[in-house]
Amino acid sequence: VDPRALAATRWSGLQGATPVAVEVAETFPLDSAGTALVLLHVALADGDRARLTAPSGEPLLGEGAGASASAPWRDLHRLATRGGEGVGSAGGRLVGHPATPSVEPPPRPSARPAVRPSPGDQSHTSVIVDETAILKLYRRLSDGQDPEVELLSVLAVGPRPAPVPALVGWVELVPGDGGPAVAVAVEQAFVSDAEDAFEAVANGISGWLSGTTGEPPPTTLPAAVGQATAELHAALAAVDEPGFAPTPATTEERLRDLRGAGAARGAVR
């Protein structure tokens, strides 16, 4: 794998760090013949290291794209929605975890789902499956439990509805050495008519400053985002799970948040 080609990708999450060497550390076979999830170990110029994932068919691996590029995504989708394990290797195995049934049942997988890339700006890689679900592959892996999967899992069975798309399932990498499992993919229900708030604000401000639009972004959008955020916090506060009980903020924490908000406000002036 060419480190220069890797540095040019947004999904790598390297954030400007310079890769100097890339090696294929492990290949985890999936269900379909010849498809796999590849684990890359990347050495960076600052001495740090990163673990990245790449599905077979990824151009970065020197493989042709096309119809075969959809096969690993279909296999990850089946693992997430039906459960079970992928073909194991010396480095471990991939394990699927369908979500616990929620108020809004997740879509049922079809025998051969249609897969297309998500058009949104993203630091990982997402595909839309059968126009009913969106599957995200985490490209840069971190140690420990993934906070997104943890939050979606408890919200799926919580007593209060949350303004988030229903969790469909997720896929974990279980290391062969007995180390902690790491989430590599998560799937949620796809909301086809949803608007990306970040994209809407960024495009609105860009158009306003460049003179292509006469008005700044509507003020109704921040209000809607604030309402959804409040509903999400209320749903999390209602979760009866260890680690999710709300605790009063200390004076030091409130001051820290105020300083952070002031610094952010000054940065955009």
Side-chain angles (χ1 to χ4, degrees):
V1 177
D2 185 352
R4 292 171 299 178
L6 180 63
T9 63
R10 173 165 165 72
W11 58 256
S12 65
L14 296 179
Q15 298 179 335
T18 303
V20 295
V22 184
E23 64 174 347
V24 175
E26 194 66 49
T27 299
F28 300 96
L30 294 165
D31 291 342
S32 298
T35 66
L37 186 67
V38 178
L39 182 64
L40 304 174
H41 282 182
V42 183
L44 304 175
D46 61 4
D48 199 3
R49 297 184 65 85
R51 293 183 300 166
L52 306 181
T53 62
S56 54
E58 173 73 56
L60 186 74
L61 299 175
E63 304 175 4
S68 62
S70 298
W73 294 100
R74 292 192 180 100
D75 290 336
L76 286 169
H77 167 70
R78 292 188 187 100
L79 273 177
T81 55
R82 299 177 182 176
E85 300 182 5
V87 180
S89 68
R93 65 190 188 279
L94 299 175
V95 180
H97 298 276
T100 302
S102 57
V103 176
E104 179 186 356
R108 299 288 297 174
S110 59
R112 186 176 173 79
V115 175
R116 67 176 177 88
S118 171
D121 184 32
Q122 51 198 326
S123 55
H124 296 290
T125 303
S126 298
V127 298
I128 297 167
V129 184
D130 270 349
E131 302 302 315
T132 60
I134 183 164
L135 171 65
K136 178 198 293 183
L137 175 66
Y138 297 120
R139 304 304 293 261
R140 184 168 184 175
L141 302 183
S142 301
D143 293 330
Q145 188 173 19
D146 182 81
E148 182 176 31
V149 171
E150 182 182 16
L151 288 174
L152 291 173
S153 299
V154 298
L155 288 173
V157 296
R160 186 164 180 162
V164 296
L167 176 65
V168 176
W170 70 96
V171 179
E172 285 183 330
L173 166 58
V174 180
D177 61 4
V182 179
V184 298
V186 64
E187 185 164 328
Q188 292 177 264
F190 176 56
V191 183
S192 60
D193 60 348
E195 183 178 18
D196 187 311
F198 176 82
E199 293 286 345
V201 172
N203 292 338
I205 292 176
S206 176
W208 178 45
L209 293 177
S210 65
T212 56
T213 59
E215 298 291 336
T219 56
T220 54
L221 183 58
V225 171
Q227 178 66 30
T229 302
E231 293 173 1
L232 176 59
H233 279 261
L236 287 171
V239 171
D240 186 18
E241 291 282 346
F244 283 87
T247 57
T250 65
T251 300
E252 181 180 348
E253 290 169 335
R254 291 197 295 268
L255 288 173
R256 180 197 62 200
D257 291 342
L258 285 172
R259 294 191 192 101
R265 181 181 178 186
V268 299
R269 283 184 173 177

